[in-house]
């Protein structure tokens, strides 16, 4: 009979340990999601800082020329895509 009690105690302990692990995993997932959200917030802030900087400095300081050039190339591609979209819309 003592063996059954020991087996029951072991099962109970394993169940409690499993529940504790599940709780830890749940909290870890929640914290990871919060971190992803915070990172997205940081990216948005950096983007806004960048937009403000470019608006305040239309002529790039020397070390920023490559990024200004990349922005200009992206703007040109967007303009070309928008022009093509307008053509497609006119053909409808």
């Amino acid at each position: 009979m003592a063996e059954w009690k020991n087996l029951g105690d072991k099962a109970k302990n394993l169940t409690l340990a499993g529940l504790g692990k599940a709780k830890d995993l749940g909290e870890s997932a929640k914290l990871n999601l919060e971190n992803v959200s915070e990172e997205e917030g940081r990216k948005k802030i950096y983007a806004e800082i960048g937009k403000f900087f470019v608006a305040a400095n239309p002529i790039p300081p020397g070390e920023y020329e490559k990024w200004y050039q990349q922005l200009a190339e992206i703007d040109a591609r967007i303009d070309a895509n928008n022009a093509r979209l307008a053509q497609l819309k006119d053909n409808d």
Side-chain angles (χ1 to χ4, degrees), residues 15-66:
T15 301
L16 291 175
L19 289 173
K21 278 292 184 191
K23 182 179 175 187
D24 289 348
L25 287 173
E27 185 177 1
S28 291
K30 179 182 176 223
L31 291 171
N32 281 323
L33 285 173
E34 286 179 16
N35 282 346
V36 167
S37 178
E38 294 294 342
E39 288 289 334
E40 287 300 314
R42 183 187 352 214
K43 286 179 186 178
K44 288 178 184 177
I45 291 170
Y46 275 125
E48 289 302 314
I49 291 169
K51 288 177 190 177
F52 181 79
F53 180 86
V54 169
N57 299 282
I59 300 188
E63 62 271 15
Y64 293 90
E65 286 181 17
K66 68 178 179 181

